[in-house]
Amino acid sequence: MIIDVHTHLNNYHEERVRNIDACLDSLQEEMAENNVDFALVLSSYKVTEHRPPTRAVVEATQGLPNIAVVAGVSIKHYRERDLREISDFLADGLVKGLKLYPGYEPFYPYDPRCQVVYDLAMEYDVPVMIHTGDTYSPQGKVRFAHPLNIDDVAVDNPGLKIVICHIGNPWITDCMEVVYKNNNVYADVSGLVLGDFEDKFEKYMLQQVRNMITYAGEPGYLLYGTDWPICRMKSYLRFMGGLELPEKSRDMIMWRNAAELFKIELPGMTEAARPTDMSHRNGSPE
Ligand SMILES: [Zn+2]
């Protein structure tokens, strides 16, 4: 079973416009080719001809059994009615999480302006995914995207579930401490490469992820995601195989943690296979 918690229907080859249905067809093809059972599609913080609004992503994917939506919010530009629309989607189960893009937008995740988003997430008991680490665009400002910034949010909002996107790459050491220390923080491994992993880089990254698991313990906090179409699924699955994890840990990362966190019901998921104890924190000193 595989759940990819981080994909987009954005178009990153901006010399031509592809409509949302074409992007969705490509996603379905890529998923089928790689036996991916379920994917979360994250909408952007901005709306352009290459980046559809949340409403369009919800409409295009509604009724599909293998895709759900996480709504991107622009802290700089959201309007009250955008949040109202998202609340309606949350109430109807059409949106399964929220996403913020610090770094792409110049704000810290502990900025008081974000609290309205955190409160909304807690009200509907859905996680907030937060971009961290390198930005795809050189216009980004990465100090806002440092994973250590997430610690304040986690401590001040113990009822909020947070996903550190991209394991804070390249500040993976900081990310591992934040997930280790805070029970309510998870991390996804998406977006570590553009396109396919090249040998040397793959070895380097495998070691980083292994270090994280060694430090933070049994990976009840780690989620599989790719950042497709920025990264290719086949290469990403090979990368995950390279971790050579025991089956229990592999299952947690590849789907169990995500199914629990985002409340995803998969057709093949039996009662017995359903996640039970999700406390991912091992014994640790106060
Ligand atoms: Zn992404």
Side-chain angles (χ1 to χ4, degrees):
M1 198 96 77
I2 302 172
I3 299 178
D4 185 334
V5 302
H6 196 132
T7 71
H8 299 283
L9 292 180
N10 302 332
N11 176 22
Y12 296 97
H13 299 283
E14 300 191 351
E15 62 284 353
R16 66 199 165 105
V17 178
R18 289 182 82 214
N19 70 29
I20 188 168
D21 293 322
C23 293
L24 187 56
D25 286 347
S26 305
L27 173 60
Q28 291 281 21
E29 266 170 44
E30 183 96 352
M31 287 170 70
E33 268 169 34
N34 294 286
N35 300 313
V36 174
D37 298 278
F38 197 95
L40 289 174
V41 171
L42 283 44
S43 59
S44 184
Y45 60 100
K46 60 181 178 183
V47 175
T48 69
E49 60 181 342
H50 304 292
R51 291 163 185 260
T54 301
R55 168 170 287 283
V57 177
V58 166
E59 280 168 3
T61 59
Q62 202 172 345
L64 296 175
N66 62 343
I67 291 184
V69 179
V70 168
V73 178
S74 165
I75 288 300
K76 262 177 92 176
H77 299 299
Y78 78 82
R79 299 159 303 177
E80 213 242 344
R81 67 168 175 270
D82 296 329
L83 294 189
R84 234 181 302 141
E85 181 180 75
I86 292 173
S87 333
D88 289 344
F89 289 147
L90 286 166
D92 294 340
L94 296 171
V95 157
K96 290 198 169 289
L98 306 176
K99 168 99 190 267
L100 294 178
Y101 290 84
Y104 287 99
E105 292 189 315
F107 68 92
Y108 289 108
Y110 49 75
D111 187 313
R113 284 177 293 170
C114 300
Q115 194 60 43
V116 62
V117 175
Y118 302 148
D119 289 342
L120 192 58
M122 285 188 278
E123 185 180 339
Y124 289 97
D125 192 27
V126 298
V128 174
M129 303 181 77
I130 302 183
H131 173 84
T132 66
D134 183 47
T135 52
Y136 180 74
S137 155
Q139 302 307 314
K141 294 180 177 168
V142 290
R143 76 187 149 101
F144 295 108
H146 198 289
L148 203 52
N149 299 329
I150 307 296
D151 187 52
D152 284 61
V153 184
V155 172
D156 294 341
N157 298 275
L160 178 67
K161 291 168 188 149
I162 305 165
V163 178
I164 297 181
C165 297
H166 321 303
I167 55 173
N169 180 40
W171 298 292
I172 297 171
T173 314
D174 301 81
C175 174
M176 65 178 87
E177 170 57 12
V178 180
V179 295
Y180 170 68
K181 172 178 168 289
N182 300 294
N183 237 339
N184 54 337
V185 182
Y186 301 74
D188 84 34
V189 295
S190 71
L192 300 176
V193 72
L194 299 180
D196 294 328
F197 283 94
E198 165 268 318
D199 256 17
K200 201 171 162 187
F201 186 71
E202 180 168 298
K203 284 200 187 85
Y204 163 79
M205 258 317 156
L206 283 171
Q207 195 51 50
Q208 302 276 311
V209 177
R210 282 191 202 110
N211 290 349
M212 181 167 182
I213 296 171
T214 303
Y215 180 82
E218 188 172 71
Y221 47 82
L222 207 54
L223 307 165
Y224 175 68
T226 55
D227 217 6
W228 185 92
I230 292 174
C231 311
R232 285 197 204 95
M233 291 188 180
K234 190 173 178 196
S235 180
Y236 235 86
L237 287 168
R238 203 191 63 160
F239 171 74
M240 296 307 287
L243 289 171
E244 295 176 347
L245 295 164
E247 197 184 330
K248 188 180 171 208
S249 302
R250 186 206 162 274
D251 280 358
M252 286 173 120
I253 298 171
M254 298 308 291
W255 66 274
R256 269 183 196 275
N257 297 336
E260 169 79 10
L261 182 61
F262 291 96
K263 304 187 185 103
I264 296 166
E265 298 260 344
L266 295 171
M269 215 163 118
T270 63
E271 206 55 51
R274 229 164 249 157
T276 46
D277 177 24
M278 293 306 298
S279 57
H280 64 251
R281 186 163 180 185
N282 293 332
S284 60
E286 291 290 301

